[in-house]
Amino acid sequence: MIPVNTPVIPPEAKTFVNDCLDTGWISSAGSYLQRFEEDFAKYVNRKHAIAVSNGTVSLHVALAALGIGPGDEVIVPAFTIISCLNAILYTGAIPVIVDVEPDIYTLDPNQLEKAFSPKTKAIMPVHIYGHPADMDPIIEFAKKHNLFIIEDAAETHGALYKGKNCGSFGEISSFSFYANKLITTGEGGIVVTDDDILAEKSRDLRNLCHLPGQRFHHKTLGFNYRMTNVQAAIGCAQLLHAEEFFNRKRKMGKLYDEGLAEIPGIEITKIRDWATSSYWMYPLRVTEKSGMTCKEFQKKLKEKGVDTRDFFWPLSNQPMLKDFDVRVLPCPVSEKIAIEGCYLPSGLALTESEIKKVIETVKSIM
Ligand SMILES: *Cc1c(COP(=O)(O)O)cnc(C)c1O
């Protein structure tokens, strides 16, 4: 079976992790944490980086640092992981779920006017499967109405929007380092910002909000969202290979692009001319022309030794919505692509011949 993802752990990871074990720095203090934060900030062109335990809580920290709370509304795209919705709910704010663009699956800027209300405080654009969201109209709308932008760049390490790093837009941005992300620490996340005050608040929130100079006196409600030095050690090793990983993913993505371009019944993502995609995962949609559903297509691939993953189930259709104060705008695009789409094996360890085998298998099924 060709798996959907296998991470690549560079040899330096062992050296760095062993260093943590040998020196006893295995908890959330130690030199790798500081180094990882500094290296990652440089990597995405931000002044500050604050490492946390995963990419779900990093979204929570970002919202909490901005002071988002009960009564506030945050606009979020329907086609994303549940983490985005949950992070808004953790703060007590009201998520406002909007539809995405049909070709690149990211927040549709044309929905913002309809979603806006006097309670709107922030927009959370999410880059999807390596392809950036169209940030300019989102930033323009945010400026006009004085809204914060929390950018979820968990799927776009290294990707660029109009030549600028994903993760360098808006007040504060978030990344994940889960094992299937381009840079991984096993589990992990990070918030990045250029704002000194937001950075300080994020550091406080991550570590229980101790009063400065008065340990065990707490100025407000904080969290234990700390990353360990061991995770950071793996991250430092990964970052040494960031460019190589990025280039390899792009090469793999382009092989798929060429191989799958002209297959009736298969719709692949056309990269917008302003985007440098990181090709994090390779998505496709099975259209009516194919005469089969995406589920049938996935089953046939599996029988022939190729694993796939479903697309996100849209936030607008989540069973959990009934328990919360949530505003949902019509999301026909998200609901359609969720049924039509899956993604193909895309892990860094995939070989060129495996990709060719996947392409041939798709062709034979179609
Ligand atoms: C992976 C991911 C997250 C959450 O990351 P975890 O580290 O798994 O908590 C958040 N947003 C998006 C878009 C993701 O793909």
Side-chain angles (χ1 to χ4, degrees):
M1 182 71 72
I2 300 178
V4 159
N5 181 63
T6 312
V8 168
I9 318 278
E12 294 90 344
K14 259 190 193 160
T15 314
F16 296 170
V17 168
N18 277 334
D19 187 29
C20 298
L21 299 175
D22 291 342
T23 57
W25 291 100
I26 57 169
S27 201
S28 54
S31 60
Y32 289 106
L33 260 176
Q34 196 184 342
R35 171 173 161 187
F36 183 56
E37 289 182 339
E38 283 169 12
D39 289 355
F40 197 82
K42 256 187 230 136
Y43 172 62
V44 292
N45 244 321
R46 283 283 207 182
K47 192 169 168 194
H48 305 281
I50 299 93
V52 294
S53 36
N54 60 65
T56 303
V57 302
S58 61
L59 289 168
H60 182 201
V61 165
L63 289 158
L66 287 165
I68 304 283
D72 297 337
E73 288 185 353
V74 180
I75 300 172
V76 63
F79 193 75
T80 183
I81 193 165
I82 203 70
S83 307
C84 302
L85 184 85
N86 288 3
I88 299 167
L89 293 173
Y90 297 158
T91 69
I94 302 162
V96 180
I97 300 170
V98 301
D99 213 355
V100 298
E101 304 209 60
D103 55 341
I104 54 173
Y105 315 149
T106 55
L107 194 153
D108 178 0
N110 293 318
Q111 305 297 318
L112 291 172
E113 203 72 59
K114 281 173 258 175
F116 181 78
S117 89
K119 289 196 227 164
T120 311
K121 281 283 153 57
I123 310 171
M124 184 188 286
V126 186
H127 311 304
I128 290 290
Y129 299 144
H131 195 295
D134 191 1
M135 292 304 295
D136 276 351
I138 298 171
I139 292 166
E140 196 182 314
F141 188 87
K143 280 211 175 110
K144 187 170 140 200
H145 295 284
N146 220 355
L147 310 175
F148 298 125
I149 290 179
I150 302 116
E151 186 192 4
D152 186 352
E155 302 184 0
T156 42
H157 308 70
L160 307 173
Y161 173 76
K162 299 190 178 173
K164 263 192 84 188
N165 287 83
C166 287
S168 67
F169 295 91
E171 281 65 31
I172 192 161
S173 309
S174 167
F175 286 85
S176 161
F177 303 117
Y178 182 64
N180 68 6
K181 305 292 155 88
L182 188 76
I183 303 291
T184 180
T185 61
E187 295 279 353
I190 209 162
V191 296
V192 292
T193 182
D194 296 323
D195 186 299
D196 298 347
I197 293 167
L198 284 178
E200 195 189 315
K201 280 192 179 160
S202 300
R203 283 183 201 286
D204 282 349
L205 286 163
R206 152 179 85 173
N207 188 23
L208 303 170
C209 292
H210 293 272
L211 271 175
Q214 272 184 288
R215 210 169 164 73
F216 303 123
H217 298 246
H218 302 271
K219 63 182 162 209
T220 184
L221 181 68
F223 310 94
N224 175 359
Y225 285 165
R226 300 183 299 256
M227 178 185 268
T228 68
N229 200 44
V230 183
Q231 288 166 283
I234 299 171
C236 288
Q238 290 262 320
L239 276 182
L240 293 174
H241 298 268
E243 203 175 309
E244 171 198 327
F245 287 175
F246 180 74
N247 291 335
R248 198 189 300 181
K249 274 267 174 151
R250 280 181 58 78
K251 208 172 147 207
M252 288 165 43
K254 284 178 178 169
L255 274 178
Y256 273 138
D257 278 349
E258 282 163 27
L260 300 172
E262 307 292 342
I263 304 177
I266 293 283
E267 195 89 50
I268 59 168
T269 305
K270 307 263 184 315
I271 310 295
R272 296 273 185 97
D273 56 7
W274 42 250
T276 306
S277 174
S278 61
Y279 285 93
W280 172 60
M281 288 292 161
Y282 199 88
L284 58 75
R285 281 186 295 128
V286 179
T287 62
E288 255 166 51
K289 256 188 237 148
S290 69
M292 68 181 95
T293 65
C294 187
K295 279 270 179 277
E296 288 163 344
F297 170 76
Q298 288 174 268
K299 190 163 165 270
K300 286 181 181 172
L301 276 174
K302 194 152 209 168
E303 282 162 10
K304 291 174 188 274
V306 177
D307 205 8
T308 59
R309 281 289 177 285
D310 293 351
F311 268 12
F312 292 121
W313 194 244
L315 301 186
S316 51
N317 277 349
Q318 291 294 343
M320 64 177 281
L321 291 191
K322 67 179 187 324
D323 297 331
F324 296 95
D325 189 6
V326 177
R327 264 203 313 124
V328 186
L329 274 68
C331 297
V333 174
S334 303
E335 287 161 18
K336 181 166 185 278
I337 61 183
I339 292 165
E340 286 184 348
C342 66
Y343 63 77
L344 298 176
S346 313
L348 274 170
L350 212 61
T351 64
E352 209 168 303
S353 69
E354 284 175 319
I355 292 177
K356 286 188 177 141
K357 188 192 160 200
V358 175
I359 293 168
E360 286 318 309
T361 311
V362 171
K363 280 185 179 160
S364 74
I365 289 170
M366 284 293 148

